[in-house]
Amino acid sequence: METSETGPRVSAQEAAASLAAVHDSRRRARRAGYPVWFWLVTGLGLAAVPLYIAKTWLPDPWGQVIPLASVMLLAVTAIAIPLGALRGVRGCPPTSAGVLREVSVFLWPFVPYVAVLLAGGITWQNGSWDAPLAPLATAAAAFAAWAGFGMAATTFSARR
Amino acid sequence: MSTRSGEHANQVGADGFNPVIHAPVRLRLCATLDALGEVEFGRMLELLEISKSALSKNVATLVEAGYIAQRRAVRDTRQRLWLHLTPDGYTAYRKHVAALQAIVNPR
């Protein structure tokens, strides 16, 4: 690409104002990318996982209700992501750096989520909690970890 | 490459400062696409809070420069226009932001 060397074409003040506009646009864009409902709905779907795992431990009618509820919540989760496209935003940038950034934003909340699942599983296996309570408590904690961390990460990205 | 694209290339400073991208609306447009990937035209209108004609004009300039690509796809059962940065556009935008940062914080 042919270039010219004419030195700075704008003042420091104008450049600072332009950078502020860039940051403002990124903040708006981040909010548009992952709204609160996204984290809440996917959190509900992921919270169903420990309940689903525990279904064989629980007596009927829980053994019937929980698998059904889990399937419904996971279905909602699966639908939630393509719903984003209906809002006019696709989180799949064509650039490799953009893809990595989007993937990292989406993957980070899995860290506390998996930690909660592991902690719940260990406590559960040690028999520290009653069988019916342990998966429910783990599900609630998993939801809080996923949705809380996701929303916090989104807010942080918006302020970056 | 078209003649106009060549003209845009000639305007780029050695420091990466890009007069085509620097225009306020185009800079915000590129920043939004950089952050979100692909954005539908109507959604971009809401995000930038500008008129349809202003957005069309600025998109046309960036398309002409080879910095933005358009794609038609269905949204809400209707054909919509989706916008995304091209690899050249992504590089040019990043260099331009780096140039602005260098102006604000010279070493």
Side-chain angles (χ1 to χ4, degrees), chain A residues 2-5 9-10 14-16 18 22 25-26 28-29 32-33 85-88 90 93-95 97 101-102, chain B residues 9-14 17 19 22 28 34-36 38-40 43 47 49 71 75 82 85 90 93-94 104:
Chain A
E2 193 178 337
T3 59
S4 60
E5 290 188 60
R9 304 180 190 194
V10 295
E14 190 185 336
S18 297
V22 166
S25 298
R26 292 187 63 81
R28 283 165 172 264
L86 294 179
R87 297 170 45 253
R90 288 188 203 277
T95 57
R101 190 170 54 252
E102 286 297 315
Chain B
N10 290 339
Q11 294 170 12
V12 178
F17 186 92
H22 186 67
R28 289 167 57 211
D34 176 54
L36 287 181
E38 193 171 33
V39 179
E40 195 266 315
R43 183 69 174 145
L47 288 169
E49 294 177 332
R71 184 175 67 88
R75 177 190 168 201
W82 292 76
L85 284 174
Y90 178 78
Y93 164 73
R94 283 301 167 110
V104 173

Side-chain angles (χ1 to χ4, degrees), chain A residues 23-83:
Chain A
H23 292 144
D24 181 61
S25 298
R26 292 187 63 81
R27 186 170 61 244
R28 283 165 172 264
R30 287 292 181 193
R31 285 177 184 159
Y34 292 98
V36 169
W37 67 261
F38 172 83
W39 296 112
L40 294 179
V41 172
T42 51
L44 283 174
L46 290 169
V49 172
L51 297 179
Y52 185 79
I53 291 168
K55 76 179 175 67
T56 54
W57 293 32
L58 299 177
D60 287 332
W62 289 106
Q64 306 291 322
V65 173
I66 287 178
L68 180 65
S70 301
V71 169
M72 286 176 66
L73 287 170
L74 287 171
V76 168
T77 305
I79 292 167
I81 296 171
L83 276 180

